[in-house]
Amino acid sequence: MNRFSREAAFFLLLLLGAGVTAAAPVPREIRIPVRTAWAPDGLNLGQEPAAPRLALALSGGGLRGLAHIGALKSLEQAGIMPYAIAGVSFGALVAGLYCEGFTPDEIAESFRQLNLESMLEDEPERRSMILARKQELSRHLLEIRLERDFSPILPGAITPGQSLYQHLLDQTLELPDLPLQVWNELPIKYAVIATDLNSGNPIVFRSGDPAIAIRASMAVPLLLDPLALDTLQLIDGGIFTNIPVELARDIGGDVVLAVDVSAELHDIKPPYQPWLIVDQVTTILEQDNIEQSLYRADVALKPNISVETPSLEWYRAVLDSGAAEMERALPRLRELLELPALPDDSMLIRVDSITGLKPTDESLIIDSNNLVTLRAVRELIRRRFNSGAVCDVWAEFDESNGALSIKETLPKVVNEVLVQGDSSVSSLSLKKQLSALVGEPLTPKKLNERIRAAHRCLRQAGYPLARLRVKSWDEQTGALLLQLEIGLLDSVVFTGLHRLKPHSLVYETPLVIGEPVKREKIVKAVKSLYATGLFRNVISQIVPSDIEGRWRLVFHVQEQPPPIRLGLAYLSEKRTQGFVEYSFPWRPVFPTRTVLFASVGELNSDYHFSFHIDKVSRWPIIADVTVGYADRERSVYSNAHQVLVSYFDSRWGASVELGGLAHSWGLLALTMRLEEHCFKYKASVQQYHLAAVGAKVGLDTQDRYPYPKRGFRLDSAVESAGQHLASDVSFNRLWGSAESYFPLAKRYTLGLHLAGGTADRTTPRDEQFRLGGIHQFPGLHLDEKVGLIQTNGGAELRYDLLSQLLADAYWGIRVDAGGNWQDPGARLKRENLLTSFSVYFALDTILGPIHLQWGHLNPNRGIPHQNLFYIQAGNLF
């Protein structure tokens, strides 16, 4: 072969080789549509299937909304995580707690512990009030407030809604993922709808403080006051739409599941209760809107909820109804959430070998002829994605040898976790939660779980604004750097003030600029401001300041004009008595009040003017000055319980107290009295001047009045009068009383009380100790026994018959032992003590208590037995 022939042959071989190489099959890549997976702070940690996104639309419906919890739990157990939730009214509450980190079980438990009656009573929490305020709010029957033109102010609803808001505040400040800016940053997006009362337009919340949004959306007309926010008057979102299907689609839902727990029409029969009529009218108006919303939803659930009085069994039944409805909807829901169809999904490929799969997975996609559709391969890829263990996954198929290979990109392993931030919380147990990441691949699911667990630790430590942010992630070294922002207070702002000055209200709060924001301080500030009685509503709002890492606390308050309080009571031994009181706040620098009080009764009267300083700057210093006149008809009894003589006792003068408060439950004060005393018998008049100084201690932690279920109360004083004070009489006396209540079991309360005192022989009769009466010693007439030394004690067992919004009913038994003597040097002997037994029935109504009591005094040493029946209607004062 010549040279030309050899070169031609070589060239031909090259061409043949090139042709063979070009014709060699390239493995086919099989993928599914993907998108960037959600991760905290926008960190890119991999992909997730671009399947349709599920959004829930949770309706309002009062306590029927408990079915939402059951539906969420069933959905979670099925392994389906919603992308977003839109809520209205009660649905907004459940959605908010779930989207921000609570589990369905935690949400259900929070509702089991909820006292619905206390949320509707809406009185300031008694423990948060100073002692003087506790006494003021325990005696009036009616409270009237007048505008500047003296026209009466009528409430816009049965309750202001403050108790509901405070409950929401407590709940949301404990949320692991408390969102105070954009709610789209949450793992599950969230939106709430309310209605503006002025314009009728819907107001959609997608950012900010969730407690405000939920409270606004739950403001049922005539039941709760509208929530005033800037120029808006926000009411129930269900007025505009009770099932927010369009909002759920707007915040990212490709598939919308609507859960309808709205009320059904029911028979309205006399007596007509206004809130039932409002509920019925609202249901009628919403019917067409609800039908349209359900039609626009892809899947609609209507849990079967019976109309019964709420009870523990009813709660469980409602939860179960929501779960059962969700179970029935799951097959249809899974169909809608499948991967989008691709043109070649139905193509069959013959697979002779598989790599990258577990043996159990092979049987899921391959038939007996070794044939499999591309759709089945893609479903397998989606399952691998959903396991959360990969960053990316795809399949390669080689047609030349029938080899199917599953390829994965695994996440990088975390070698160390570093936390930068505020050293004041370095002692918190965050390391335990974050150390679980070390040695593990970093995936969005694991990172979110650990950060949420760390946030729970921070919330339990009282830091509602503390947050861990991802500062950097080094894939090469495996170092994850987190930034801890503890949340510092930048400023405190008040909105809605007209009569009062902001600087005087700051003293009511425990907040300090520049310090970390603590949960208990926010809650206490709201309770303290509301307990002043100056506002109908107090709403706190946390907003970011201009300085990164700092926050502003804004208090939106609704001022009330000064109250005029009216009281009326009947006591069988005091007869009918009424009072009028005008309390006017005056706050130029620090909290002060002026009180005008006038009381008139058949047997006594009282007129006084008081000036109270409740706090001096941030110091818990109080000062009270009272000037007034009081008179009373008294009786002297024989040992046979007969009236020997009646006389008229009157006094006028002034008293001063100066002391300090211990939180809101204690008081220690120095006292001074300057008074003129006068006794009028049938034909004689006695008069003397009294000047006395002393000290007193008071404690009151009781949860309610007049029938506390728990708490302690103490009143004690020492006083001295003498000529060195220009007093006509000289004496020293010491007295004290204490009572404590304990819940024994469900509905049972045990009360224990003890009192006693001692005084000099020179103590005038009107300054001596008195024993007897319905609440001090049943079986004796009111103030029947008078002496210079006194002791008495006893026990009470009370049973709660029923607790309703309009009235609580109780029955109780009580035993007492005690006595008093005119000889201060006499020794206390058991045989000298009087004993009594009593039984009572009481209704604690919104108009005050109705108390019926029978008392039996046992005979002792010449004192015969006695049976007395007492009647009390209204609060005593």
Side-chain angles (χ1 to χ4, degrees):
M1 184 180 293
N2 58 27
R3 180 180 179 185
F4 176 78
S5 298
R6 288 195 303 269
E7 291 177 354
F10 181 75
F11 182 73
L12 180 60
L13 289 173
L14 288 177
L15 289 177
L16 290 174
V20 171
T21 302
V26 178
R28 177 173 187 163
E29 198 172 84
I30 304 172
R31 287 187 174 272
I32 65 172
V34 295
R35 56 188 167 225
T36 302
W38 181 92
D41 302 302
L43 191 64
N44 189 354
L45 295 179
Q47 311 292 325
E48 66 179 8
R53 287 169 164 167
L54 172 65
L56 306 183
L58 305 185
S59 78
L63 287 178
R64 293 179 292 271
L66 292 168
H68 292 318
I69 305 172
L72 287 171
K73 185 172 183 178
S74 180
L75 192 66
E76 195 174 85
Q77 290 174 342
I80 300 176
M81 183 66 67
Y83 174 78
I85 305 180
V88 166
S89 194
F90 204 96
L93 172 57
V94 174
L97 298 179
Y98 184 70
C99 292
E100 294 155 27
F102 280 3
T103 66
D105 288 336
E106 289 174 329
I107 299 172
E109 182 61 28
S110 70
F111 284 115
R112 287 191 191 99
Q113 299 174 359
L114 188 62
N115 187 341
L116 296 174
E117 297 168 17
S118 65
M119 294 178 66
L120 292 177
E121 289 173 359
D122 238 330
E123 290 291 339
E125 185 178 314
R126 197 172 186 274
R127 289 177 60 92
S128 64
M129 293 185 287
I130 62 174
L131 293 184
R133 284 276 297 153
K134 291 176 183 178
Q135 295 171 2
E136 283 183 13
L137 292 183
S138 63
R139 58 193 185 192
H140 69 272
L141 173 67
L142 179 65
E143 187 174 84
I144 301 173
R145 298 181 186 269
L146 303 177
E147 292 283 12
R148 295 182 184 274
D149 60 356
F150 300 103
S151 61
I153 297 176
L154 299 178
I158 294 174
T159 173
Q162 185 66 28
S163 293
L164 171 62
Y165 170 73
Q166 289 179 183
H167 173 75
L168 295 174
L169 184 65
D170 283 341
Q171 291 282 301
T172 55
L173 289 179
E174 292 182 348
L175 293 170
D177 299 327
L178 177 61
L180 294 173
Q181 298 186 55
V182 180
W183 296 351
N184 279 340
E185 297 177 358
L186 291 169
I188 303 175
K189 317 310 175 207
Y190 175 48
V192 172
I193 190 168
T195 306
D196 180 22
L197 184 60
N198 294 325
S199 65
N201 295 327
I203 303 298
V204 177
F205 290 89
R206 303 191 194 193
S207 63
D209 198 322
I212 292 178
I214 297 170
R215 164 64 178 85
S217 187
M218 295 183 73
V220 178
L222 294 186
L223 180 61
L224 300 172
D225 275 359
L227 186 138
L229 190 65
D230 299 326
T231 60
L232 302 174
Q233 297 291 328
L234 300 174
I235 59 173
D236 188 358
I239 301 298
F240 181 80
T241 176
N242 200 41
I243 310 178
V245 171
E246 293 303 319
L247 179 58
R249 207 176 295 280
D250 188 49
I251 58 177
D254 302 309
V255 175
V256 175
L257 168 66
V259 184
D260 176 22
V261 296
S262 53
E264 300 283 354
L265 292 176
H266 47 269
D267 293 336
I268 299 292
K269 299 178 180 178
Y272 299 112
Q273 297 175 319
W275 47 87
L276 291 180
I277 294 177
V278 170
D279 182 60
Q280 186 84 334
V281 171
T282 303
T283 302
I284 294 171
L285 296 175
E286 287 177 349
Q287 277 188 312
D288 185 58
N289 187 293
I290 289 173
E291 290 179 3
Q292 294 181 25
S293 296
L294 294 175
Y295 177 78
R296 291 192 294 268
D298 298 293
V299 181
L301 308 184
K302 180 70 175 178
N304 183 21
I305 303 172
S306 62
V307 181
E308 294 180 12
T309 302
S311 63
L312 183 59
E313 291 73 19
W314 184 83
Y315 284 1
R316 290 171 180 165
V318 174
L319 290 170
D320 292 342
S321 69
E325 278 298 304
M326 183 62 75
E327 288 289 340
R328 283 191 283 270
L330 283 176
R332 174 58 179 158
L333 198 57
R334 286 194 172 97
E335 289 179 12
L336 294 173
L337 296 177
E338 288 182 352
L339 283 169
L342 296 178
D344 60 351
D345 274 352
S346 59
M347 179 182 293
L348 288 169
I349 59 174
R350 180 179 295 277
V351 177
D352 295 320
S353 64
I354 299 178
T355 59
L357 268 184
K358 296 178 181 178
T360 54
D361 290 331
E362 295 182 16
S363 61
L364 297 178
I365 63 172
I366 302 174
D367 64 12
S368 59
N369 296 320
N370 286 353
L371 295 176
V372 61
T373 63
L374 295 186
R375 179 72 178 182
V377 177
R378 290 185 174 117
E379 284 294 334
L380 178 63
I381 292 172
R382 184 172 76 158
R383 285 200 298 272
R384 291 295 296 150
F385 265 120
N386 290 340
S387 70
V390 297
C391 293
D392 194 8
V393 58
W394 67 97
E396 290 182 357
F397 177 64
D398 191 339
E399 294 181 359
S400 64
N401 57 12
L404 180 66
S405 178
I406 305 300
K407 304 290 185 179
E408 296 177 344
T409 301
L410 298 177
K412 300 295 182 180
V413 175
V414 179
N415 292 322
E416 63 175 338
V417 179
L418 303 174
V419 179
Q420 294 180 349
D422 198 300
S423 60
S424 63
V425 294
S426 59
S427 61
L428 299 178
S429 57
L430 299 181
K431 290 185 178 179
K432 180 180 178 181
Q433 303 300 334
L434 299 176
S435 61
L437 291 170
V438 178
E440 296 290 330
L442 187 63
T443 64
K445 182 178 180 181
K446 289 181 180 179
L447 180 58
N448 184 52
E449 286 177 352
R450 290 301 96 205
I451 288 182
R452 178 173 285 182
H455 284 174
R456 284 182 181 271
C457 291
L458 292 166
R459 302 297 179 262
Q460 290 171 2
Y463 295 94
L465 304 183
R467 180 177 177 182
L468 282 168
R469 294 180 180 272
V470 179
K471 192 171 183 180
S472 65
W473 162 237
D474 191 332
E475 293 186 359
Q476 302 301 320
T477 64
L480 178 65
L481 179 61
L482 303 177
Q483 179 72 33
L484 174 59
E485 297 177 357
I486 197 62
L488 302 178
L489 182 63
D490 182 64
S491 59
V492 178
V493 179
F494 290 88
T495 67
L497 295 179
H498 303 289
R499 300 177 178 88
L500 305 172
K501 302 298 181 183
H503 58 265
S504 67
L505 295 175
V506 173
Y507 303 142
E508 298 287 349
T509 72
L511 304 165
V512 179
I513 306 300
E515 290 189 355
V517 178
K518 298 296 291 287
R519 174 185 175 273
E520 64 269 18
K521 290 188 176 182
I522 297 177
V523 173
K524 184 178 180 180
V526 171
K527 290 181 179 179
S528 297
L529 288 169
Y530 188 59
T532 62
L534 301 172
F535 311 108
R536 183 166 174 85
N537 271 300
V538 178
I539 305 295
S540 68
Q541 183 180 19
I542 305 171
V543 296
S545 72
D546 297 333
I547 304 174
E548 186 176 356
R550 290 181 173 254
W551 299 84
R552 263 190 313 134
L553 190 57
V554 182
F555 290 101
H556 301 276
V557 298
Q558 184 181 353
E559 275 193 48
Q560 299 188 104
I564 299 174
R565 298 189 178 99
L566 304 174
L568 182 65
Y570 174 82
L571 187 62
S572 50
E573 294 191 324
K574 277 189 176 182
R575 312 289 176 81
T576 305
Q577 186 177 5
F579 80 86
V580 58
E581 177 185 59
Y582 180 64
S583 180
F584 182 81
W586 182 62
R587 298 189 166 219
V589 180
F590 37 77
T592 60
R593 292 175 294 120
T594 55
V595 178
L596 297 174
F597 182 90
S599 170
V600 179
E602 295 184 49
L603 302 178
N604 61 322
S605 61
D606 183 7
Y607 311 92
H608 65 253
F609 165 83
S610 300
F611 178 76
H612 304 274
I613 299 176
D614 296 329
K615 190 179 292 186
V616 177
S617 187
R618 288 195 178 274
W619 296 94
I621 297 175
I622 63 101
D624 289 346
V625 178
T626 301
V627 178
Y629 167 84
D631 57 44
R632 180 172 180 176
E633 182 177 334
R634 296 185 181 273
S635 299
V636 178
Y637 291 85
S638 68
N639 282 342
H641 313 299
Q642 301 298 316
V643 177
L644 298 177
V645 65
S646 296
Y647 65 95
F648 199 70
D649 175 8
S650 63
R651 62 184 67 186
W652 61 93
S655 64
V656 179
E657 292 184 9
L658 178 64
L661 292 170
H663 301 287
S664 59
W665 43 261
L667 170 68
L668 173 62
L670 301 176
T671 63
M672 181 176 182
R673 284 195 295 157
L674 298 174
E675 295 176 343
E676 296 293 331
H677 289 230
C678 181
F679 304 95
K680 296 181 180 179
Y681 293 91
K682 293 182 178 180
S684 65
V685 176
Q686 297 181 10
Q687 187 170 342
Y688 70 89
H689 172 71
L690 172 66
V693 295
K696 74 175 186 178
V697 175
L699 296 173
D700 189 343
T701 65
Q702 292 180 353
D703 58 347
R704 56 187 301 176
Y705 178 86
Y707 302 102
K709 295 184 178 180
R710 65 179 71 243
F712 177 75
R713 183 173 179 176
L714 169 70
D715 291 296
S716 62
V718 59
E719 194 171 37
S720 177
Q723 295 181 353
H724 60 287
L725 298 173
S727 176
D728 294 340
V729 294
S730 298
F731 65 87
N732 298 294
R733 67 172 188 161
L734 172 68
W735 66 273
S737 66
E739 61 181 20
S740 187
Y741 289 87
F742 313 89
L744 288 182
K746 186 178 181 181
R747 296 185 179 272
Y748 285 95
T749 302
L750 174 66
L752 302 175
H753 56 274
L754 181 67
T758 181
D760 294 339
R761 297 180 186 273
T762 55
T763 305
R765 183 178 179 86
D766 65 329
E767 295 292 325
Q768 295 179 16
F769 306 112
R770 299 176 182 274
L771 186 67
I774 181 174
H775 296 299
Q776 191 187 32
F777 204 98
L780 290 174
H781 294 287
L782 181 66
D783 299 341
E784 181 174 340
K785 297 295 181 180
V786 182
L788 295 172
I789 184 170
Q790 177 172 300
T791 182
N792 66 282
E796 170 189 355
L797 181 64
R798 186 193 321 133
Y799 178 72
D800 186 354
L801 289 168
L802 71 113
S803 295
Q804 299 292 338
L805 175 62
L806 298 180
D808 294 341
Y810 306 98
W811 69 258
I813 57 175
R814 173 172 171 162
V815 292
D816 289 89
N820 54 19
W821 303 269
Q822 285 295 334
D823 183 6
R827 295 182 60 185
L828 177 63
K829 297 181 179 180
R830 184 175 61 182
E831 57 267 22
N832 292 333
L833 294 177
L834 298 174
T835 59
S836 73
F837 172 81
S838 62
V839 179
Y840 66 83
F841 172 78
L843 288 174
D844 190 10
T845 74
I846 58 175
L847 300 178
I850 300 174
H851 191 104
L852 309 176
Q853 184 162 336
W854 170 81
H856 171 76
L857 180 71
N858 296 315
N860 185 21
R861 291 183 174 267
I863 300 178
H865 77 276
Q866 180 174 230
N867 293 303
L868 292 178
F869 185 72
Y870 306 90
I871 300 176
Q872 176 191 336
N875 292 309
L876 300 181
F877 47 89

